[in-house]
Every structure is written in C-alpha cells, then in structure tokens.
C-alpha cells in the first residue's frame, strides 16, 4: 500500500486499532482495514450478503456497525453468506483489529469475480 493511501485511511479512521500518539501513528501489527460500505437507500439483506462476501474477499474488517446494519440484518446476512458457502469461520476469532472472524471461500471468490464482470 502506498503511504499516501495509508494516510488517507488513517485520517478516515478505517485502520482498526490505529491510534495517534505523540504526533505519530501507532498501528497494530496485522491491523485490518475496515470495509467501506456505500450508504444507499433501502439496503437489502442481499446487499449486506455481498458486502460481507466482498469484505472477506478483500481481507477487510466488517461487523454490523461497519456494514451499517442492525443486529438482525447482520446475523441474517451472515447466515446466508455461510449457507451459500461464500464465507466460513476463520480459525482466528473476531478481535476487532486483526480478524473479523470469517474468511472468504473459493466459491465466494468466484462469486465476487463473476459479479465484478457483470455475470449473475
């Protein structure tokens, strides 16, 4: 990652666990970047499923707050993403900094690639 890109993410507060201390950034080793969710009217569960899948595919941090979802929406979308085998639980539990607790599967990677190309 370019330093300028990292500085932008730090200013936006998207680097998990990073703190500005004594005029410099302290960034935890293996800190994740928060997934960026575009605000959209009438977000559906399907939108949240895709955000979860993309975030896992890009190794970015996600939770209900990051995805702008309530607990029910998030747990429903998470269950669907797991049932579709787009994501699976990670061996590393969600610690809020270095892991969201889930990883993308091969099927999830393929689905992201197809969606990116406009194939549904």
């Amino acid at each position: 990652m370019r330093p300028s890109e990292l500085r932008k993410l730090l200013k936006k507060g998207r680097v998990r666990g990073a703190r500005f201390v004594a005029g410099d950034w302290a960034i935890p080793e293996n800190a994740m970047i928060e997934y960026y969710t575009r605000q959209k009217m009438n977000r559906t569960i399907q939108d949240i499923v895709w955000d979860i899948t993309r975030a896992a595919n890009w190794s970015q941090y996600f939770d209900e707050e990051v995805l702008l979802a309530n607990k029910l929406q998030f747990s429903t979308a998470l269950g669907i993403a797991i049932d579709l085998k787009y994501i699976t639980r990670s061996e590393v539990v969600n610690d809020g900094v270095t892991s969201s607790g889930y990883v993308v599967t091969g099927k999830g990677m393929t689905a992201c690639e197809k969606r990116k190309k406009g194939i549904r």
Side-chain angles (χ1 to χ4, degrees), residues 31-97:
M32 294 182 83
I33 305 298
E34 280 184 5
Y35 178 77
Y36 176 74
T37 304
R38 291 185 182 157
Q39 292 187 357
K40 165 183 165 179
M41 297 286 289
N42 303 319
R43 281 177 51 84
T44 65
I45 294 298
Q46 185 178 6
D47 293 327
I48 300 168
V49 169
W50 279 110
D51 286 338
I52 288 169
T53 306
R54 276 191 229 117
N57 190 41
W58 296 337
S59 299
Q60 293 184 343
Y61 182 82
F62 65 91
D63 60 17
E64 63 195 48
E65 183 180 342
V66 169
L67 297 180
L68 307 174
N70 63 41
K71 284 185 185 293
L72 179 60
Q73 291 170 322
F74 180 73
S75 64
T76 301
L78 194 60
I80 292 169
I82 291 169
D83 289 346
L84 290 171
K85 298 189 182 347
Y86 288 166
I87 63 168
T88 189
R89 291 191 189 277
S90 171
E91 291 180 10
V92 181
V93 296
N94 180 353
D95 64 4
V97 176

Side-chain angles (χ1 to χ4, degrees), residues 10-22:
L10 286 164
K11 283 183 181 180
K12 291 178 181 178
R14 290 191 47 218
V15 180
R16 300 297 292 187
R19 302 284 178 255
F20 196 70
V21 180

